[in-house]
């Protein structure tokens, strides 16, 4: 596992703000297919969705639960044990900012996508399927960091409102318990100002 992937996993384990924004950027995950890392990623996301904070040292309990439930194979468990042990030695030394980790995650995601694209194009060309290669190229879409939705003053101009409502704006809230949701909402309300919340269609915004 390269240094970028290790930094991302440490961020998921230790930083509440990072894992919140990570879920918005990568709702399907980033480490799918990576032995062990994908499981740790899933534990971090599931813990955050349930408790609205980073899993921290409780990641060891998630591992122990999998051991007791025998929900993972022996090889996977051994790999994860080694991985968590090596990462735990870096927890306290890790001081990366959230913005830096987001940039690392985006670069890592784009690198993986480009590697897959190259493999698909090479295969299509080697088998004489030029159109398949073109289709793969045209469907490629790089991961980009959306704009964070701002709190907009009643006196702000039209451009600021348009920024909050543009399609590329990064979601501020995500799936969480109703108590955690209300706490988050009330923490963002500012007297004499209004806050815009936007969600996907059929996401129970009302």
């Amino acid at each position: 596992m390269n240094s970028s992937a290790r930094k991302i996993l440490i961020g998921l384990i230790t930083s509440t703000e990072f894992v919140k924004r990570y879920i918005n950027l990568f709702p399907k995950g980033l480490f799918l297919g990576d032995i062990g890392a994908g499981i740790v990623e899933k534990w971090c996301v599931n813990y955050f969705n349930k408790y609205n904070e980073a899993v921290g040292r409780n990641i060891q309990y998630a591992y122990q639960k999998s051991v007791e439930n025998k929900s993972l194979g022996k090889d996977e468990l051994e790999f994860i044990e080694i991985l968590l042990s090596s990462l735990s030695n870096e927890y306290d030394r890790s001081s990366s900012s959230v913005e830096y980790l987001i940039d690392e995650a985006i670069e890592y995601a784009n690198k993986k996508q480009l590697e897959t694209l190259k493999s698909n194009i090479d295969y299509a060309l080697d088998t004489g399927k030029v159109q398949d290669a073109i289709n793969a190229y045209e469907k490629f879409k790089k991961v980009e960091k959306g704009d964070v939705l701002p709190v907009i003053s009643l006196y702000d101009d039209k451009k600021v409102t348009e920024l909050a409502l543009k399609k590329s704006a990064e979601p501020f809230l995500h799936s969480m318990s109703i108590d955690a949701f209300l706490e988050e909402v009330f923490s963002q309300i500012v007297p004499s100002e209004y806050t815009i919340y936007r969600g996907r269609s059929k996401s129970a915004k009302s």
Side-chain angles (χ1 to χ4, degrees):
M1 179 179 293
N2 66 30
S3 60
S4 292
R6 294 179 67 83
K7 289 175 185 176
I8 294 166
L9 284 177
I10 290 173
L12 287 174
I13 294 170
T14 61
S15 172
T16 296
E17 180 61 25
F18 174 64
V19 70
K20 182 197 315 189
R21 294 181 60 184
Y22 181 92
I23 291 170
N24 289 331
L25 274 172
F26 308 106
K28 294 183 179 179
L30 186 55
F31 292 96
L32 294 176
D34 293 7
I35 183 171
I39 300 297
V40 174
E41 174 190 49
K42 183 178 178 181
W43 289 344
C44 294
V45 170
N46 288 348
Y47 187 93
F48 179 84
N49 285 335
K50 186 172 183 179
Y51 300 107
N52 199 33
E53 64 180 12
V55 63
R57 298 285 178 180
N58 288 322
I59 194 73
Q60 293 294 341
Y61 292 107
Y63 169 79
Q64 191 58 41
K65 186 175 180 180
S66 293
V67 172
E68 294 171 356
N69 294 342
K70 299 180 180 179
S71 57
L72 297 174
K74 182 180 178 181
D75 291 342
E76 271 189 310
L77 286 172
E78 288 181 354
F79 182 88
I80 292 172
E81 182 179 18
I82 295 171
L83 175 62
L84 290 178
S85 177
S86 66
L87 291 178
S88 68
N89 295 326
E90 302 176 35
Y91 289 170
D92 298 331
R93 299 198 303 270
S94 179
S95 58
S96 301
S97 71
V98 171
E99 291 301 326
Y100 171 77
L101 289 173
I102 290 293
D103 288 341
E104 284 283 300
I106 290 174
E107 183 175 334
Y108 182 79
N110 283 322
K111 181 176 182 293
K112 288 188 68 174
Q113 287 197 145
L114 286 169
E115 288 172 348
T116 300
L117 175 64
K118 180 179 181 301
S119 177
N120 291 339
I121 289 177
D122 286 345
Y123 176 78
L125 292 177
D126 289 344
T127 55
K129 299 177 180 178
V130 177
Q131 188 58 48
D132 286 354
I134 294 173
N135 292 341
Y137 171 78
E138 291 179 342
K139 288 179 181 178
F140 176 78
K141 185 178 185 302
K142 69 178 182 178
V143 178
E144 294 181 323
K145 181 165 54 177
D147 300 305
V148 178
L149 291 177
V151 174
I152 303 174
S153 170
L154 286 167
Y155 302 102
D156 285 342
D157 62 21
K158 182 180 178 181
K159 288 185 178 179
V160 181
T161 305
E162 290 175 345
L163 171 64
L165 297 178
K166 64 191 253 188
K167 289 184 178 180
S168 63
E170 182 178 317
F172 179 75
L173 296 177
H174 43 79
S175 177
M176 59 174 65
S177 69
I178 186 62
D179 289 339
F181 173 80
L182 291 175
E183 181 180 349
E184 189 74 47
V185 168
F186 289 125
S187 71
Q188 298 299 321
I189 294 177
V190 180
S192 79
E193 296 185 354
Y194 70 94
T195 304
I196 291 178
Y197 288 103
R198 189 185 71 181
R200 297 182 180 87
S201 176
K202 307 299 182 182
S203 61
K205 297 186 295 297
S206 299

